[in-house]
Amino acid sequence: MSVAKNVNRHSLPSADETIGAQAELLSSQLQSMSEALFPPTSQKVLRKFTSGEAARLIGISDSTLRKMTLAGEGPQPETTSNGRRLYNLSEINQIRRLLAQSTRGRETIEFVPHRRPGEHLQVLAVTNFKGGSGKTTTTAHLAQFLALQGYRVLAVDLDPQASLSALLGVLPELDVASNQTLYAAIRYDEERRALSEVIRPTYFDGLDLVPGNLELMEFEHTTPRALSAGASGETLFFARVAAALDEVADNYDVVVIDCPPQLGFLTLSGLCAATAMIITIHPQMLDISSMSQFLLMTRDLLGVVRDAGGELKYDFIRYLLTRYEPQDAPQTKVAALLRNLFDDYVLTNPMLKSAAVSDAGLTKQTLYEIGRENMTRSTYDRAMESLEAVNSEVETLIKQAWGRA
């Protein structure tokens, strides 16, 4: 009987063959679904904004924007059959620059909030050890929010799973070839490229992307070899992301990094490049237990990096409660515990759990892309109010780090 069992077992395909076949099947299906949503001949585009939305983004009244249109100042909006005026983000940014030149009694940075001399590049690392904490969704929405406010933003996908890239319209399996990720700029051999050669513009005016894919895992494999070889003159692993970002720093105001959900060489290098850290946390006991281990390991590893000469001074560190359900009693207790322990280190505003975010994600879109008319308005408005509160709070921290009122 045992012999028969052994025979049957040996006749089964090996684990790597089974997993490989399933991976190819899933990849093929995902590709088909993606092509149905976004045909290969099309590119993802950002929706247009109504005059009311455009005025709110710029920080002026709708009547002022209408007067500018009638006077022929700035780009002319598209007018629909029912008389609505629509602007794309590029046109909104053109109006911002026009207003900044005339100022109209307000400071230039109120319209074009770019960094001024003496204001350092803000590098925000969004991280957590545990998957499912809303890390990538947070990163994408924050990067898009800052671009909508007029900042020059670079999103960096440091996660080999490349969910951020997919969310921003770049499919890691199809659109990202060899040596087209951040790995190209931080590798140790002669194939290293300048980061500027890897950066891609997105369909959001003012938001660029360094895409990711599985190639990023190479850094985890090549770094130990580089450390053992001890090549003189080579930038140490923990400073390589920072060195790559320094090459393009003049082109951006804020860099937002989506870190992998593990503490490897990639994450450590990203954390060492950061000027601020946002730790996403789902307020449940299992998640904060996991986060506790993450924080202890981060302390130990960053301590080693600091002893080796790494610079580890952040403008701010904040915990962001994600997928928060205020009507859930256990979650409110965990949230209260975190606020009691960490006080101001926890962002005042949580990101509420919402079907609107999930529904948008089904089509690889964010709330900023999908538009209010495409879902239940009360659900959308509630989610957007929460999202805007979180991102505005982070923007305030960035301004404070620059010394702005």
Side-chain angles (χ1 to χ4, degrees):
M1 195 68 180
S2 60
V3 174
K5 281 187 178 178
N6 285 337
V7 170
N8 290 338
R9 190 177 178 201
H10 288 307
S11 65
L12 293 171
S14 63
D16 61 311
E17 291 172 334
T18 301
I19 291 170
Q22 291 170 350
E24 289 177 10
L25 182 64
L26 179 60
S27 178
S28 174
Q29 184 62 36
L30 288 172
Q31 183 177 335
S32 299
M33 291 168 66
S34 178
E35 288 177 356
L37 290 168
F38 306 106
T41 53
S42 73
Q43 286 188 325
K44 207 175 177 190
V45 294
L46 178 61
R47 68 181 179 89
K48 293 194 173 184
F49 298 88
T50 64
S51 58
E53 290 176 314
R56 184 176 61 80
L57 285 170
I58 296 167
I60 57 177
S61 66
D62 195 5
S63 60
T64 299
L65 187 56
R66 182 182 292 275
K67 287 175 186 174
M68 290 180 68
T69 300
L70 293 174
E73 298 178 9
Q76 295 301 296
E78 173 191 331
T79 306
T80 65
S81 57
N82 61 1
R84 296 176 79 193
R85 292 169 294 136
L86 301 176
Y87 296 83
N88 62 37
L89 184 54
S90 176
E91 291 166 344
I92 290 171
N93 283 331
Q94 288 178 53
I95 295 169
R96 282 184 168 124
R97 289 189 288 270
L98 184 65
L99 288 168
Q101 289 168 8
S102 62
T103 65
R104 302 193 179 204
R106 293 163 63 177
E107 280 196 65
T108 298
I109 58 168
E110 288 189 50
F111 296 112
V112 181
H114 295 175
R115 283 193 296 139
R116 298 175 294 187
E119 295 178 341
H120 59 275
L121 178 70
Q122 281 289 316
V123 182
L124 276 61
V126 183
T127 185
N128 196 318
F129 187 60
K130 189 174 176 63
S133 64
K135 180 175 57 64
T136 298
T137 306
T138 297
T139 306
H141 280 105
L142 177 59
Q144 290 179 350
F145 169 83
L146 292 169
L148 287 169
Q149 306 314 306
Y151 295 94
R152 300 168 299 167
V153 185
L154 177 64
V156 178
D157 197 342
L158 210 57
D159 190 342
Q161 296 179 71
S163 299
L164 178 65
S165 300
L167 203 52
L168 293 179
V170 177
L171 300 178
E173 295 179 339
L174 301 176
D175 302 331
V176 186
S178 175
N179 223 28
Q180 291 186 351
T181 69
L182 182 69
Y183 179 65
I186 61 175
R187 62 192 300 161
Y188 297 92
D189 57 24
E190 66 282 351
E191 292 187 50
R192 186 161 67 232
R193 303 171 66 189
L195 184 60
S196 57
E197 297 175 19
V198 179
I199 292 171
R200 305 181 183 203
T202 70
Y203 50 95
F204 260 78
D205 190 57
L207 172 58
D208 292 344
L209 171 68
V210 177
N213 67 10
L214 288 173
E215 177 186 70
L216 285 164
M217 286 300 296
E218 288 297 313
F219 191 66
E220 306 293 345
H221 303 145
T222 56
T223 295
R225 290 201 295 270
L227 288 171
S228 61
S232 60
E234 276 282 7
T235 303
L236 289 171
F237 81 88
F238 58 77
R240 296 181 85 80
V241 172
L245 292 177
D246 281 346
E247 298 172 14
V248 298
D250 290 344
N251 301 328
Y252 300 99
D253 306 306
V254 184
V255 177
V256 186
I257 302 177
D258 187 24
C259 294
Q262 71 266 341
L263 276 175
F265 294 116
L266 267 176
T267 302
L268 283 173
S269 192
L271 293 180
C272 289
T275 61
M277 184 177 1
I278 297 172
I279 302 166
T280 56
I281 175 66
H282 185 216
Q284 290 190 341
M285 285 307 298
L286 281 176
D287 291 77
I288 66 168
S289 296
S290 174
M291 186 184 72
S292 173
Q293 297 304 306
F294 167 76
L295 294 175
L296 289 169
M297 286 187 285
T298 302
R299 177 201 63 186
D300 294 343
L301 291 169
L302 290 182
V304 172
V305 168
R306 181 165 49 79
D307 292 343
E311 182 71 24
L312 292 171
K313 292 186 178 177
Y314 289 165
D315 292 321
F316 59 88
I317 298 172
R318 291 293 185 275
Y319 297 90
L320 167 62
L321 301 177
T322 58
R323 295 167 52 215
Y324 180 53
E325 299 173 81
Q327 71 278 10
D328 184 315
Q331 284 199 30
T332 58
K333 288 179 181 177
V334 171
L337 171 67
L338 290 171
R339 293 191 187 281
N340 186 50
L341 291 173
F342 299 146
D343 198 23
D344 290 342
Y345 281 95
V346 181
L347 287 174
T348 302
N349 298 285
M351 183 59 212
L352 300 180
K353 183 177 182 180
S354 173
V357 177
S358 304
D359 289 350
L362 286 173
T363 52
K364 291 183 181 176
Q365 290 180 293
T366 66
L367 285 183
Y368 293 121
E369 297 171 64
I370 201 162
R372 188 169 181 255
E373 65 280 359
N374 293 308
M375 58 179 63
T376 306
R377 294 197 171 189
S378 59
T379 303
Y380 179 88
D381 289 346
R382 181 170 172 269
M384 185 60 81
E385 182 182 356
S386 172
L387 183 64
E388 291 277 283
V390 168
N391 289 333
S392 295
E393 192 173 348
V394 175
E395 183 191 14
T396 298
L397 291 168
I398 291 171
K399 289 179 176 178
Q400 287 174 353
W402 282 335
R404 299 184 188 180

